[in-house]
Amino acid sequence: MNKKDNNDVTNIAGRFYETEDYKRNDQLSSGLATTHEQVSDTYMEGQADAVIEDVVGVDISIPRKGYDE
């Protein structure tokens, strides 16, 4: 007889973000909450490019270049 794991919190298959994830203390919930916040921020900002927004209104672009050997 196989022993069934009763720890449903760490079962990642089929898991999605829930608002309660901000209040939970396990690693999976924390990761889902953080990822949800990052996606939400990017969506609201309307861009996903690598730019540092300066406080005086100057945007500093982060160049995307490969590793130089």
Side-chain angles (χ1 to χ4, degrees):
M1 182 171 173
N2 293 337
K3 182 179 177 182
K4 185 174 181 173
D5 187 14
N6 291 329
N7 194 358
D8 292 335
V9 176
T10 59
N11 186 6
I12 195 164
R15 180 80 192 279
F16 55 91
Y17 166 77
E18 299 171 353
T19 55
E20 292 84 21
D21 285 333
Y22 281 104
K23 299 174 186 171
R24 295 180 180 146
N25 292 326
D26 61 285
Q27 186 176 9
L28 178 58
S29 296
S30 175
L32 286 171
T34 301
T35 302
H36 179 265
E37 179 116 5
Q38 291 170 342
V39 169
S40 182
D41 289 348
T42 301
Y43 177 77
M44 294 305 289
E45 189 171 321
Q47 63 186 19
D49 55 348
V51 174
I52 299 173
E53 295 177 0
D54 194 25
V55 291
V56 294
V58 177
D59 292 342
I60 303 168
S61 179
I62 300 173
R64 294 184 184 208
K65 59 181 182 177
Y67 175 72
D68 295 330
E69 289 187 27

